[in-house]
Amino acid sequence: SHGNKEVFSCRGILLAVQWFWDRGHKDITVFVPSWRKEQPRPDVLITDQHILRDLEKKKILVFTPSRRVGGKRVVCYDDRFIVKLAHESDGIVVSNDTYRDLQSERADWKRFIDQRLLMYSFVNDK
């Protein structure tokens, strides 16, 4: 949402990480589909991609798998990665996704998502 739904803003990810880091939270994991490393296309703009590589080097960002099959991109279902790690590490999920499908999959995940989902919005760079 930092890119106003016009571009994928890697700076928005950095701002969110920095917000938690400044408040003493050091165990932070960001999941991003691996195709976000690719050269941006005119219809799928990405800004400041170097931020993703920097966060990956610092072991804060993890790229979720994707591949090409018959010229089409096939991505994994990264929501499951996110909820599973947060649940296992007693963390929180920072997302505007409600994970409705995962809530119906497991009762313990439903309780976790109900109590540990932190939705957000950006106002410029805040």
Side-chain angles (χ1 to χ4, degrees), residues 47-59:
T47 58
D48 300 313
Q49 276 181 303
H50 68 279
I51 291 171
L52 301 181
R53 289 186 297 277
D54 292 345
L55 290 172
E56 182 183 33
K57 285 178 191 169
K58 293 175 181 173
K59 300 195 183 306

Side-chain angles (χ1 to χ4, degrees), residues 21-67:
W21 192 269
D22 290 347
R23 284 153 183 79
H25 303 283
K26 305 302 182 200
D27 186 9
I28 300 169
T29 304
V30 175
F31 288 101
V32 174
S34 62
W35 63 268
R36 293 286 187 187
K37 292 190 276 189
E38 297 173 8
Q39 183 68 28
R41 298 186 335 232
D43 60 327
V44 185
L45 298 174
I46 303 171
T47 58
D48 300 313
Q49 276 181 303
H50 68 279
I51 291 171
L52 301 181
R53 289 186 297 277
D54 292 345
L55 290 172
E56 182 183 33
K57 285 178 191 169
K58 293 175 181 173
K59 300 195 183 306
I60 293 173
L61 185 141
V62 175
F63 287 103
T64 57
S66 67
R67 60 191 171 113

Side-chain angles (χ1 to χ4, degrees), residues 67-78:
R67 60 191 171 113
R68 289 205 173 272
V69 177
K72 292 188 176 188
R73 182 182 298 125
V74 177
V75 297
C76 73
Y77 185 56
D78 56 2

Side-chain angles (χ1 to χ4, degrees), residues 20 25 36 65 70 84 88 97 109:
F20 285 97
H25 303 283
R36 293 286 187 187
K84 185 175 189 302
E88 289 174 355
D97 189 330
W109 282 8

